[in-house]
Amino acid sequence: MSIQNPDFLNNIIHFKYKLMKTQKFLSNFSRRSWLKGSALVLGASLIDIKNATAFTLAGAKTPALTQAEIEAIEAAMGKKGMYKEAEAVHTTPLPRNDLKVTVKGEAVPISFGFGGWAAIKKTIDGKSAVLMSDCVLLQEEVNPLISAAHANGLEVSAIHNHFFYEEPRIFYMHIHGMGSPEELAKKYAKAIAETKISPANQPPVGAPPTKTGKDIFDMPKLNGIVKYEAAVNGPTIKYTIGRDDLTITAMGAEMTSSIGLNTWASFTGSMDNAMVAGDIAMLEHEVNSVIKVLRTNNIEVVAVHNHMLGDKPHMIFLHYLGRGPALQLAKGFRAALDQLGKGKKMMH
């Protein structure tokens, strides 16, 4: 059949074209509306889940270690430790009293930053426990301890330096594991049994210093600058500051100050000629702000690294070293503290 009227044909084609566009619009509109609605519902669900998780973590309280568990830990480790009830953490100090260390050619006490530790606490659900440890090692001691840790069912989470210019060269190894408190203590004790870290292999503690950090440093002035109270540790003083603004979990346990989530500063020397060394615990977006302010205050950055595996959110740790008048160093440390908890900055 032939169409005699071309205008009629054109009208039909135009009508069909408009009809197709209308159908496509309606189809896209329905799809967009569905996707938008789904996204709103999903977003609300994710917010609810996130809030519920945060509420659960915030409301959760780590179960305490029992007296029997503490005694079992200390029996296995061969040394009395410290139990911090507020954090439900038992810590065994493991200083390297066998070492004689210099930094920039100057003798420094072991308490300046050459003391290791092992800490144990229960998971939030109370079904298990976690161990975290920082081991102070000579470089030739690193790989034998890696093998011993693995042989005893523990894992290595980090190996790094804390200092520059130290003699002999010192490395720090972080070890972690999961199990019952007694089981973890036994595994760790077996892993370090042949090392100088083991309490059984450490020399007796020497005579106490003639002057302690309280006698050497003007603590009220330094405390006023740092805005925290320092602890006296032999001839040194030390600030240890947690990240109470954060909830960090790893291996099902909340990471707190006593199990390694802390910022610290140790002072040695004198008020006029001091050295400061320490560690700053940071979220990833805080790293370069801290680096910048430390350098502005003429404090050296010596390492930036992780300590833990599987921590959420992920934490980065920065080690630093400074030398000069103690008050000036304290101001630099305080300036670094002021960079923490400011909120995420956009990077361009």
Coordinates of all heavy atoms in Angstrom, one line a residue, residues 39-95:
A39 N 18.8 4.1 47.7 CA 20.0 4.7 48.3 C 19.7 5.3 49.6 O 20.5 5.2 50.6 CB 20.6 5.7 47.3
L40 N 18.6 6.0 49.7 CA 18.2 6.6 50.9 C 17.9 5.6 52.0 O 18.4 5.7 53.1 CB 16.9 7.5 50.7 CG 17.1 8.8 49.9 CD1 15.7 9.4 49.6 CD2 18.0 9.8 50.7
V41 N 17.2 4.5 51.6 CA 17.0 3.4 52.6 C 18.3 2.8 53.0 O 18.5 2.6 54.2 CB 16.0 2.4 52.0 CG1 15.9 1.2 52.9 CG2 14.6 3.0 51.7
L42 N 19.1 2.5 52.0 CA 20.4 1.8 52.3 C 21.3 2.7 53.2 O 21.9 2.3 54.2 CB 21.2 1.5 51.0 CG 22.5 0.8 51.2 CD1 22.4 -0.5 52.0 CD2 23.2 0.6 49.9
G43 N 21.3 4.0 52.8 CA 22.1 5.0 53.6 C 21.6 5.0 55.0 O 22.4 5.0 56.0
A44 N 20.3 5.1 55.2 CA 19.8 5.1 56.6 C 20.1 3.9 57.3 O 20.5 3.9 58.5 CB 18.3 5.3 56.5
S45 N 20.1 2.7 56.6 CA 20.5 1.5 57.3 C 21.9 1.5 57.7 O 22.2 1.0 58.8 CB 20.2 0.3 56.3 OG 18.8 0.3 55.9
L46 N 22.8 2.0 56.8 CA 24.2 2.0 57.1 C 24.5 2.9 58.3 O 25.3 2.6 59.2 CB 25.0 2.4 55.9 CG 25.1 1.4 54.8 CD1 25.8 2.0 53.6 CD2 25.8 0.1 55.2
I47 N 23.8 4.1 58.3 CA 23.9 5.0 59.5 C 23.5 4.3 60.7 O 24.2 4.4 61.8 CB 23.1 6.3 59.2 CG1 23.8 7.1 58.1 CG2 23.1 7.1 60.5 CD1 22.9 8.2 57.6
D48 N 22.4 3.6 60.7 CA 21.9 2.9 61.8 C 22.9 1.8 62.3 O 23.1 1.7 63.5 CB 20.5 2.2 61.5 CG 19.4 3.3 61.4 OD1 19.6 4.4 61.8 OD2 18.4 2.9 60.8
I49 N 23.4 1.1 61.3 CA 24.4 0.0 61.7 C 25.6 0.7 62.3 O 26.1 0.2 63.4 CB 24.8 -0.8 60.5 CG1 23.6 -1.6 60.0 CG2 26.0 -1.6 60.7 CD1 23.8 -2.2 58.6
K50 N 26.1 1.8 61.7 CA 27.3 2.5 62.2 C 27.1 3.0 63.6 O 27.9 2.8 64.5 CB 27.7 3.6 61.3 CG 29.0 4.3 61.7 CD 29.3 5.4 60.7 CE 30.5 6.2 61.2 NZ 30.8 7.3 60.2
N51 N 25.9 3.6 63.8 CA 25.5 4.1 65.1 C 25.4 3.0 66.2 O 25.8 3.2 67.3 CB 24.3 5.0 65.1 CG 24.5 6.3 64.4 OD1 25.6 6.8 64.2 ND2 23.4 6.9 63.9
A52 N 24.8 1.9 65.7 CA 24.6 0.8 66.6 C 25.9 0.2 67.0 O 26.1 -0.1 68.2 CB 23.7 -0.3 65.9
T53 N 26.9 0.1 66.1 CA 28.2 -0.4 66.4 C 28.9 0.5 67.3 O 29.5 0.1 68.3 CB 29.0 -0.6 65.1 OG1 28.3 -1.4 64.2 CG2 30.4 -1.1 65.4
A54 N 28.8 1.8 67.1 CA 29.5 2.8 67.9 C 28.9 2.7 69.3 O 29.6 2.8 70.3 CB 29.4 4.2 67.4
F55 N 27.6 2.6 69.4 CA 26.9 2.5 70.7 C 27.3 1.3 71.4 O 27.6 1.3 72.6 CB 25.4 2.5 70.5 CG 24.6 2.3 71.8 CD1 24.4 3.4 72.6 CD2 24.1 1.1 72.2 CE1 23.7 3.3 73.8 CE2 23.4 1.0 73.3 CZ 23.2 2.1 74.2
T56 N 27.4 0.2 70.7 CA 27.8 -1.1 71.3 C 29.2 -1.0 71.9 O 29.5 -1.4 73.0 CB 27.8 -2.3 70.3 OG1 26.4 -2.4 69.8 CG2 28.2 -3.6 71.0
L57 N 30.2 -0.4 71.1 CA 31.6 -0.3 71.6 C 31.7 0.7 72.7 O 32.4 0.5 73.7 CB 32.4 0.2 70.4 CG 32.7 -0.9 69.3 CD1 33.5 -0.3 68.2 CD2 33.5 -2.1 69.9
A58 N 30.9 1.8 72.6 CA 31.0 2.8 73.6 C 30.4 2.3 74.9 O 30.9 2.6 76.0 CB 30.2 4.1 73.2
G59 N 29.4 1.5 74.8 CA 28.7 0.9 76.0 C 29.4 -0.3 76.6 O 29.1 -0.7 77.7
A60 N 30.2 -0.9 75.8 CA 30.9 -2.2 76.2 C 32.0 -1.9 77.2 O 32.6 -0.9 77.2 CB 31.4 -2.9 75.0
K61 N 32.1 -2.8 78.2 CA 33.2 -2.7 79.1 C 34.0 -4.0 79.1 O 33.4 -5.1 79.2 CB 32.6 -2.5 80.5 CG 33.7 -2.3 81.6 CD 33.0 -1.9 82.9 CE 34.1 -1.8 84.0 NZ 35.0 -0.8 83.8
T62 N 35.3 -3.9 78.9 CA 36.1 -5.0 78.8 C 36.1 -5.8 80.1 O 36.3 -5.2 81.2 CB 37.6 -4.6 78.5 OG1 37.6 -3.9 77.3 CG2 38.5 -5.9 78.4
P63 N 35.8 -7.1 80.1 CA 35.7 -7.9 81.3 C 37.1 -7.9 82.0 O 38.2 -7.9 81.4 CB 35.4 -9.3 80.8 CG 34.8 -9.1 79.5 CD 35.5 -7.9 78.9
A64 N 37.0 -7.8 83.3 CA 38.3 -7.7 84.1 C 39.0 -9.1 84.1 O 38.4 -10.1 84.0 CB 37.9 -7.3 85.6
L65 N 40.3 -9.0 84.3 CA 41.1 -10.2 84.5 C 40.8 -10.6 86.0 O 40.8 -9.8 86.9 CB 42.5 -10.0 84.3 CG 43.0 -9.8 82.9 CD1 44.4 -9.3 82.8 CD2 42.8 -11.0 82.0
T66 N 40.6 -11.9 86.2 CA 40.4 -12.4 87.6 C 41.8 -12.4 88.3 O 42.9 -12.4 87.7 CB 39.8 -13.8 87.6 OG1 40.7 -14.7 87.1 CG2 38.5 -13.8 86.9
Q67 N 41.8 -12.5 89.6 CA 43.0 -12.6 90.4 C 43.8 -13.9 90.0 O 45.0 -13.9 89.9 CB 42.7 -12.6 91.9 CG 44.0 -12.6 92.8 CD 44.8 -11.4 92.5 OE1 44.3 -10.3 92.3 NE2 46.1 -11.6 92.6
A68 N 43.0 -14.9 89.8 CA 43.7 -16.2 89.4 C 44.4 -16.0 88.0 O 45.5 -16.6 87.8 CB 42.6 -17.3 89.3
E69 N 43.7 -15.3 87.1 CA 44.3 -15.1 85.8 C 45.6 -14.2 85.9 O 46.6 -14.5 85.2 CB 43.3 -14.5 84.8 CG 42.2 -15.4 84.4 CD 41.1 -14.8 83.7 OE1 40.8 -13.6 83.9 OE2 40.5 -15.4 82.8
I70 N 45.5 -13.2 86.7 CA 46.7 -12.4 86.9 C 47.9 -13.2 87.5 O 49.0 -13.1 87.1 CB 46.4 -11.2 87.9 CG1 45.4 -10.2 87.1 CG2 47.6 -10.4 88.3 CD1 44.8 -9.1 88.0
E71 N 47.6 -14.0 88.5 CA 48.6 -14.8 89.1 C 49.2 -15.8 88.1 O 50.4 -16.1 88.1 CB 48.0 -15.6 90.3 CG 47.7 -14.7 91.5 CD 47.0 -15.3 92.6 OE1 46.7 -16.6 92.5 OE2 46.7 -14.7 93.6
A72 N 48.3 -16.3 87.2 CA 48.8 -17.3 86.2 C 49.7 -16.6 85.2 O 50.8 -17.1 84.8 CB 47.6 -17.9 85.5
I73 N 49.4 -15.3 84.8 CA 50.3 -14.6 83.9 C 51.6 -14.3 84.6 O 52.7 -14.5 83.9 CB 49.6 -13.2 83.6 CG1 48.3 -13.4 82.7 CG2 50.6 -12.3 82.9 CD1 47.5 -12.1 82.6
E74 N 51.6 -13.9 85.8 CA 52.9 -13.5 86.5 C 53.7 -14.8 86.8 O 55.0 -14.7 86.7 CB 52.6 -12.8 87.8 CG 51.9 -11.4 87.5 CD 51.6 -10.6 88.7 OE1 51.6 -11.1 89.8 OE2 51.4 -9.3 88.5
A75 N 53.1 -15.9 87.0 CA 53.8 -17.2 87.2 C 54.5 -17.6 85.9 O 55.7 -18.0 85.9 CB 52.9 -18.3 87.7
A76 N 53.8 -17.4 84.8 CA 54.4 -17.8 83.5 C 55.5 -16.9 83.1 O 56.5 -17.3 82.6 CB 53.3 -17.8 82.4
M77 N 55.3 -15.6 83.3 CA 56.3 -14.6 82.9 C 57.5 -14.6 83.9 O 58.6 -14.1 83.5 CB 55.7 -13.2 82.9 CG 54.6 -13.1 81.8 SD 55.2 -13.1 80.1 CE 56.0 -11.6 80.0
G78 N 57.3 -15.1 85.1 CA 58.4 -15.1 86.0 C 58.7 -13.7 86.6 O 59.8 -13.4 87.0
K79 N 57.7 -12.8 86.6 CA 57.9 -11.5 87.1 C 56.5 -10.9 87.5 O 55.5 -11.1 86.8 CB 58.5 -10.6 86.0 CG 58.9 -9.2 86.5 CD 59.6 -8.5 85.4 CE 60.0 -7.1 85.9 NZ 60.8 -6.3 84.8
K80 N 56.5 -10.1 88.5 CA 55.3 -9.3 88.9 C 55.1 -8.2 87.9 O 56.0 -7.6 87.4 CB 55.5 -8.7 90.3 CG 55.4 -9.7 91.4 CD 53.9 -10.1 91.7 CE 53.8 -11.0 92.9 NZ 52.4 -11.4 93.2
G81 N 53.8 -8.0 87.6 CA 53.5 -6.9 86.7 C 52.6 -5.9 87.3 O 52.5 -5.8 88.6
M82 N 51.9 -5.1 86.5 CA 51.0 -4.1 87.0 C 49.6 -4.3 86.4 O 49.6 -4.5 85.1 CB 51.5 -2.7 86.6 CG 52.9 -2.4 87.2 SD 53.7 -0.9 86.4 CE 54.0 -1.6 84.8
Y83 N 48.6 -4.2 87.2 CA 47.2 -4.4 86.6 C 46.5 -3.1 86.7 O 46.4 -2.5 87.8 CB 46.5 -5.5 87.4 CG 45.1 -5.7 86.8 CD1 44.9 -6.2 85.5 CD2 43.9 -5.4 87.6 CE1 43.6 -6.3 85.0 CE2 42.7 -5.6 87.1 CZ 42.5 -6.1 85.8 OH 41.2 -6.3 85.3
K84 N 46.1 -2.5 85.6 CA 45.3 -1.3 85.6 C 43.9 -1.6 85.5 O 43.4 -2.0 84.4 CB 45.8 -0.4 84.4 CG 45.2 1.0 84.5 CD 45.9 2.0 83.7 CE 45.4 3.4 83.9 NZ 46.1 4.4 83.2
E85 N 43.2 -1.5 86.6 CA 41.8 -1.9 86.7 C 40.9 -1.1 85.7 O 40.0 -1.7 85.1 CB 41.3 -1.7 88.1 CG 39.9 -2.4 88.4 CD 39.5 -2.3 89.8 OE1 40.4 -2.0 90.7 OE2 38.4 -2.7 90.1
A86 N 41.1 0.2 85.5 CA 40.2 1.0 84.7 C 40.3 0.5 83.2 O 39.3 0.7 82.5 CB 40.7 2.5 84.8
E87 N 41.4 -0.1 82.8 CA 41.5 -0.6 81.4 C 41.4 -2.1 81.4 O 41.5 -2.6 80.3 CB 42.8 -0.1 80.8 CG 42.9 1.5 80.7 CD 44.2 1.9 80.1 OE1 44.7 1.2 79.2 OE2 44.7 2.9 80.6
A88 N 41.4 -2.7 82.5 CA 41.4 -4.2 82.6 C 42.6 -4.8 81.9 O 42.5 -5.8 81.1 CB 40.1 -4.8 82.1
V89 N 43.8 -4.2 82.0 CA 45.0 -4.6 81.3 C 46.1 -4.9 82.4 O 46.4 -4.2 83.3 CB 45.6 -3.4 80.4 CG1 46.9 -3.8 79.8 CG2 44.5 -3.0 79.4
H90 N 46.8 -6.1 82.1 CA 47.9 -6.4 82.9 C 49.2 -6.2 82.1 O 49.3 -6.7 80.9 CB 47.9 -7.9 83.4 CG 49.0 -8.3 84.2 ND1 50.2 -8.7 83.7 CD2 49.2 -8.4 85.6 CE1 51.1 -9.0 84.7 NE2 50.5 -8.8 85.8
T91 N 50.2 -5.5 82.6 CA 51.4 -5.2 81.9 C 52.6 -5.7 82.6 O 52.7 -5.5 83.8 CB 51.5 -3.7 81.6 OG1 50.4 -3.2 81.0 CG2 52.8 -3.4 80.8
T92 N 53.5 -6.4 81.9 CA 54.8 -6.9 82.5 C 55.9 -6.0 81.9 O 56.1 -6.0 80.7 CB 55.0 -8.3 82.1 OG1 54.0 -9.1 82.6 CG2 56.3 -8.8 82.8
P93 N 56.6 -5.2 82.7 CA 57.7 -4.4 82.1 C 58.9 -5.2 81.9 O 59.2 -6.1 82.6 CB 57.9 -3.3 83.2 CG 57.4 -4.0 84.5 CD 56.3 -4.9 84.1
L94 N 59.5 -5.0 80.7 CA 60.7 -5.8 80.3 C 61.8 -4.9 79.8 O 62.2 -4.9 78.7 CB 60.3 -6.8 79.2 CG 59.1 -7.8 79.5 CD1 58.6 -8.4 78.3 CD2 59.6 -8.8 80.5
P95 N 62.4 -4.1 80.8 CA 63.5 -3.2 80.4 C 64.8 -4.0 80.1 O 65.0 -5.1 80.6 CB 63.7 -2.4 81.7 CG 63.2 -3.3 82.8 CD 62.1 -4.1 82.2

